[in-house]
Amino acid sequence: MNLQNITLWGIVLCCVLTSQQSLAQASIQTDTLEIKVLTKKEPLPGASVYIQSLQKGGITDSNGIARIEDVPMGTYSISISFIGYEQIDQLITVPLGESLIFYLEENENALDAIVLKSTRSTRTIRKIPTRIEFIGAEELGEKVAMNASNIAMVLRESTGIQMQQTSLSSGNTNIRIQGLDGRYTQLLRDGFPLYSGFSSGLSILQIPPLDLKQFEIIKGSSSTLYGGGAIAGLVNMVSKTPEEDPQLDIMFTQTQALGSTGNVFYSQRSDRLGWTFYGSGNYQKAYDPEDDGFSNLPQTKSVTINPKLFYYPSEHTTVWFGVNGTYDDRKGGDIRKIEEGQNGIHQYTEENLSKRLSTQAVYETKIDTTQSLSVKNSVSYFDRNLEIPDLIFKGRQWNTFTEVTYQRQHTVTEWVLGANLYSASFDEDSQRTERDQNDVTYGVFANHIYDLSEHWILESGFRADYAQDWGFFPLPRVSLLYKVNTSFSSRIGGGLGYKIPDIFTEEAEFVNFREVQPIDKDALHAERSYGINLDFDYETRLSNTIKFSINQLFYITAIQEGLLLNTTATDMFQFENAQDDILSKGAETNIKFTYKDFRWFLNYALIDTRLNYLPGNPQKPLTARHNGGSVFMYESPSWRIGFETYYTGTQLLSNGIKTTDFVTMGVLGIRNFKWGSAFVNFENFTDRRQSRFSPLVAPPHNDPIFPEIYAPTDGFIFSAGIILKPFGNEHHHE
């Protein structure tokens, strides 16, 4: 056979093989799957149906039906999931012959069903790469019993969070996350930034917790999510919403320190309308446990009301409008002057009279099963009058916030796009109008979550903010989640942040804003930051009855050009930018054991916050390097009993003196009945307070000096109360 014939036969053979391969490919049959998802015989729209090996899926429509086209013949593992329901994983063989029906059951593990509002995502907590700490309704119920007047107790007992009191007389308190000042934490309510600027030192004390259903805490740079001010992190408080069954909670609390608090919450929803109403009142008599003549708790009269109206024009759309009003009068200092008026050397009092009025309006709609749109707006007015014998600091602050967000969700990816406008206007009621400040910030942002595989999920985001007088701030962030199974996961993430300067810092609060010079926009720069955190989460069963989990976090945050309040040659206070970084790094450990009706929580925080702009890079004053805690709980349908122990390590004062370390303990008991609950709380029953270690007040009596606060000032507080639930009672009882 010659070469020409060989070539000819080769060509013929190739053609035959190619045609056979084409015929074989053409013979591969595909099918369109029709999956119906029900819950208790009702269609479940919005459920996810997904085949991992083919990376194909669909979302159920209003009839609970999802269709997946062009599925080749074969056997596949299909997953059906929906928020709040147990996921189904089942093998199917294609062709089906008929549509399949799956019934989803409600998930008993609440953590899997949690949807976090602060990330703007519709994913559950286990599928979000951003590390978020969650405080749910159950734990909030315990904290409400411990302190019904404000949220300080909720935040104080979270690992790595410190509540820093800046005034003995008024009780002004700021939140510190991982050793960074309160101005670096953004406080949100339902996604609205309402509690910053002029009101920040009082905000923690003016937010009662009874109408809140969950807290979400993000530690580390979070400015990409909500703009400037979230360098240390953010706390988003999520309010209760009306359900079909009406709910009424009436709460009364009394302390041995003559503090009385009453709360009422009511909610109900009909077909198209719903409403909630919350009211709170608190009266505290001036309290002086060490009998030194000065109050450790100020005389307080506080009232809060918060009605909301909800309108549901369709099953896919919600419109709501809320109004929040607060009146708060705090007067502390010399007990004789508070009770009897000025007399001789009894002259010193500090009074904070504040009024807050804010509105929130929200429009949310689902365009279809994959797209949604929300528009929100808030207007906030805060009026405050701070008065001491020789100083009056008075002013008003207006804040507005408007945001439009578009969301698109697919099986393995999710996009959030948005734009917002934020304004803050402070007007001081004084001859010195130069301390007035007006700021306007425009922002656009995008956030993307993508399932790289079954084990890896990537989240990336970018925000671009333009602040008048301060410039342009590009803010990227990225987070990565790795999860092997339900037992182990790890997250790593980081981003940039910024904070526009204003005069409302902890240092300025400490001196009551006396002789504090205005912000010089020509000389100062905005603070900028970068941060990264890494955590590992593991949970397992040590036996059939013992569960164990541990979360280990490592973090680092650096602030460049930090805002400092320095003394001038003329004994004035002037703001300047630091010449070097503020560097906070450390670790947090959280361990949990569960045995039948018992739970044991252990936590430890290492907070190493260094002021690199000072010689020797000292630890930040009033920041304990070592903190630890233990909480032991017994829970049954009828009882909740808890024993808490917290350790605070040594701290440095601004003058370099080292403080003593100390331990506080508390016991809480809650008894559930058909009509509601009764509770008692022994807070700090070993009576650890700063006056046992060093004086809280220094002479002269008519013009006292108040040292820095590094330990509890009120000591042991015993409280008791009841929560009445005439209907909507979800408690179990004997």
Side-chain angles (χ1 to χ4, degrees):
M1 186 178 293
N2 56 32
L3 182 61
Q4 184 176 2
N5 290 335
I6 293 175
T7 304
L8 180 61
W9 279 106
I11 293 172
V12 172
L13 181 61
C14 288
C15 291
V16 171
L17 292 175
T18 302
S19 63
Q20 289 179 341
Q21 185 177 8
S22 299
L23 289 172
Q25 291 177 342
S27 66
I28 296 177
Q29 297 182 3
T30 63
D31 192 14
T32 297
L33 302 188
E34 186 172 278
I35 308 295
K36 189 167 188 177
V37 182
L38 304 175
T39 172
K40 295 181 181 180
K41 299 183 180 181
E42 294 293 330
L44 185 61
S48 173
V49 180
Y50 188 61
I51 302 175
Q52 177 69 41
S53 59
L54 299 179
Q55 293 194 353
K56 282 190 171 186
I59 304 294
T60 56
D61 58 21
S62 59
N63 297 315
I65 297 175
R67 294 176 177 82
I68 308 176
E69 298 180 348
D70 299 327
V71 179
M73 304 300 183
T75 301
Y76 305 97
S77 175
I78 189 169
S79 298
I80 299 96
S81 61
F82 187 76
I83 295 169
Y85 291 83
E86 292 282 358
Q87 179 172 309
I88 295 177
D89 295 291
Q90 183 171 315
L91 289 176
I92 62 170
T93 300
V94 181
L96 297 177
E98 59 183 14
S99 62
L100 288 181
I101 299 176
F102 293 92
Y103 292 87
L104 290 186
E105 297 181 356
E106 290 191 21
N107 196 327
E108 294 182 358
N109 188 344
L111 188 62
D112 290 330
I114 294 168
V115 177
L116 299 168
K117 305 295 185 180
S118 55
T119 62
R120 310 175 192 273
S121 172
T122 59
R123 294 190 173 212
T124 60
I125 190 171
R126 292 194 186 277
K127 290 187 175 183
I128 294 180
T130 298
R131 184 184 187 275
I132 302 175
E133 297 178 18
F134 175 82
I135 301 175
E138 186 177 279
E139 188 174 353
L140 273 177
E142 299 168 8
K143 304 308 179 187
V144 168
M146 296 167 73
N147 187 345
S149 62
N150 60 67
I151 62 170
M153 190 66 69
V154 180
L155 299 172
R156 179 184 291 122
E157 299 183 358
S158 297
T159 309
I161 294 182
Q162 171 190 359
M163 303 309 298
Q164 180 58 47
Q165 187 174 339
T166 57
S167 170
L168 176 70
S169 299
S170 68
N172 287 10
T173 302
N174 279 284
I175 178 176
R176 285 188 179 182
I177 293 182
Q178 296 173 343
L180 298 176
D181 284 352
R183 70 177 183 274
Y184 299 126
T185 295
Q186 200 170 55
L187 285 177
L188 308 170
R189 182 162 187 148
D190 300 317
F192 290 105
L194 304 175
Y195 303 101
S196 60
F198 192 25
S199 67
S200 57
L202 291 168
S203 292
I204 297 294
L205 307 177
Q206 295 180 343
I207 308 174
L210 188 65
D211 66 333
L212 301 174
K213 68 177 181 181
Q214 65 190 52
F215 273 66
E216 301 163 5
I217 303 171
I218 302 179
K219 296 174 180 176
S221 293
S222 307
S223 290
T224 303
L225 290 171
Y226 286 94
I231 286 176
L234 66 84
V235 177
N236 187 30
M237 298 163 281
V238 181
S239 304
K240 295 176 182 177
T241 54
E243 306 289 343
E244 291 185 2
D245 294 328
Q247 178 183 350
L248 175 61
D249 294 347
I250 303 172
M251 181 178 186
F252 300 98
T253 306
Q254 179 65 46
T255 74
Q256 109 285 353
L258 299 181
S260 305
T261 303
N263 292 278
V264 60
F265 175 78
Y266 177 76
S267 70
Q268 187 174 7
R269 176 180 173 177
S270 60
D271 183 32
R272 293 293 178 91
L273 290 176
W275 52 90
T276 65
F277 175 83
Y278 178 63
S280 175
N282 170 248
Y283 174 78
Q284 172 66 57
K285 183 179 174 61
Y287 179 57
D288 177 19
E290 58 263 344
D291 199 26
D292 64 357
F294 286 86
S295 64
N296 292 30
L297 289 174
Q299 176 181 285
T300 303
K301 303 172 185 176
S302 180
V303 177
T304 297
I305 58 170
N306 185 13
K308 293 180 181 177
L309 178 64
F310 295 76
Y311 174 55
Y312 310 95
S314 72
E315 61 178 340
H316 302 298
T317 302
T318 300
V319 181
W320 67 266
F321 177 78
V323 178
N324 180 277
T326 299
Y327 172 88
D328 189 86
D329 187 5
R330 296 172 182 271
K331 189 174 185 178
D334 192 306
I335 294 290
R336 287 277 297 275
K337 183 184 177 184
I338 295 173
E339 295 179 348
E340 303 174 10
Q342 185 168 321
N343 179 12
I345 64 171
H346 303 286
Q347 300 178 19
Y348 183 88
T349 55
E350 177 184 330
E351 183 171 12
N352 269 280
L353 177 61
S354 60
K355 304 163 192 173
R356 181 195 305 274
L357 183 65
S358 62
T359 63
Q360 302 87 47
V362 176
Y363 170 83
E364 298 175 321
T365 186
K366 292 183 179 179
I367 301 171
D368 54 33
T369 57
T370 63
Q371 301 177 88
S372 62
L373 178 71
S374 71
V375 181
K376 58 174 61 176
N377 170 266
S378 72
V379 178
S380 177
Y381 170 78
F382 185 79
D383 181 288
R384 177 182 175 189
N385 184 9
L386 167 63
E387 184 173 348
I388 58 178
D390 58 346
L391 173 71
I392 295 178
F393 179 58
K394 185 177 182 180
R396 292 161 296 279
Q397 179 170 296
W398 286 92
N399 295 75
T400 67
F401 177 76
T402 303
E403 179 184 270
V404 179
T405 304
Y406 167 78
Q407 183 179 28
R408 187 176 182 88
Q409 177 188 6
H410 293 284
T411 308
V412 298
T413 188
E414 183 175 347
W415 278 99
V416 178
L417 306 174
N420 62 262
L421 170 65
Y422 178 78
S423 70
S425 176
F426 171 68
D427 178 20
E428 184 179 0
D429 189 3
S430 169
Q431 299 298 322
R432 301 178 55 178
T433 57
E434 65 269 18
R435 290 204 294 194
D436 294 354
Q437 187 170 342
N438 295 282
D439 294 298
V440 179
T441 302
Y442 307 88
V444 293
F445 58 89
N447 202 67
H448 181 229
I449 302 178
Y450 180 62
D451 294 338
L452 299 173
S453 68
E454 183 180 355
H455 301 297
W456 294 91
I457 302 177
L458 176 68
E459 181 176 8
S460 56
F462 184 82
R463 169 182 282 272
D465 273 7
Y466 175 74
Q468 288 184 359
D469 302 319
W470 299 105
F472 176 71
F473 300 93
L475 302 169
R477 68 185 286 262
V478 63
S479 300
L480 183 65
L481 166 64
Y482 173 68
K483 54 186 181 69
V484 178
N485 45 46
T486 57
S487 296
F488 177 80
S489 64
S490 178
R491 290 172 169 87
I492 185 171
L496 305 183
Y498 78 100
K499 171 66 176 173
I500 293 174
D502 60 40
I503 68 171
F504 305 109
T505 68
E506 289 183 13
E507 293 83 0
E509 284 265 7
F510 185 73
V511 298
N512 293 315
F513 304 98
R514 185 195 299 271
E515 304 299 344
V516 172
Q517 298 301 293
I519 294 296
D520 187 344
K521 294 186 177 182
D522 295 325
L524 293 173
H525 299 98
E527 301 172 87
R528 297 175 184 261
S529 74
Y530 62 88
I532 187 170
N533 56 61
L534 168 67
D535 87 309
F536 303 93
D537 192 83
Y538 178 73
E539 58 182 79
T540 187
R541 284 185 176 271
L542 301 179
S543 68
N544 290 333
T545 56
I546 300 177
K547 295 180 182 179
F548 167 79
S549 66
I550 181 171
N551 180 270
Q552 180 62 54
L553 168 69
F554 302 95
Y555 66 88
I556 182 170
T557 301
I559 301 176
Q560 300 169 330
E561 298 191 293
L563 189 65
L564 308 179
L565 187 63
N566 295 325
T567 307
T568 68
T570 56
D571 292 330
M572 310 282 277
F573 292 99
Q574 180 175 312
F575 288 104
E576 299 175 357
N577 288 116
Q579 298 303 306
D580 207 337
D581 293 350
I582 300 170
L583 185 64
S584 179
K585 58 183 184 296
E588 296 177 11
T589 304
N590 289 278
I591 298 173
K592 177 183 177 181
F593 291 93
T594 303
Y595 173 72
K596 294 184 178 179
D597 293 334
F598 296 92
R599 293 186 300 161
W600 187 24
F601 301 89
L602 296 167
N603 65 68
Y604 167 74
L606 170 65
I607 303 175
D608 186 13
T609 305
R610 298 287 172 173
L611 306 180
N612 291 343
Y613 56 84
L614 292 179
N617 304 334
Q619 175 84 347
K620 181 178 175 58
L622 303 177
T623 305
R625 182 178 171 86
H626 301 284
N627 300 267
S630 167
V631 179
F632 187 79
M633 293 290 302
Y634 169 76
E635 298 179 352
S636 72
S638 299
W639 284 97
R640 296 175 69 87
I641 301 173
F643 175 71
E644 302 179 337
T645 305
Y646 291 99
Y647 169 77
T648 301
T650 59
Q651 305 168 58
L652 289 178
L653 301 180
S654 296
N655 58 12
I657 295 177
K658 181 182 290 187
T659 70
T660 183
D661 58 353
F662 58 89
V663 174
T664 60
M665 297 181 182
V667 174
L668 169 70
I670 302 176
R671 178 66 164 93
N672 296 324
F673 301 94
K674 292 182 179 180
W675 47 263
S677 303
F679 58 87
V680 292
N681 182 49
F682 301 83
E683 189 65 30
N684 191 4
F685 65 81
T686 56
D687 202 20
R688 296 295 88 188
R689 61 178 187 266
Q690 185 166 322
S691 59
R692 296 188 178 276
F693 313 127
S694 61
L696 280 170
V697 184
H701 198 97
N702 62 336
D703 188 17
I705 298 172
F706 296 97
E708 293 172 306
I709 298 174
Y710 60 86
T713 60
D714 49 3
F716 167 58
I717 298 292
F718 168 75
S719 61
I722 58 172
I723 301 177
L724 304 175
K725 292 178 174 286
F727 47 84
N729 188 1
E730 297 178 353
H731 284 300
H732 298 286
H733 51 80
E734 292 179 336

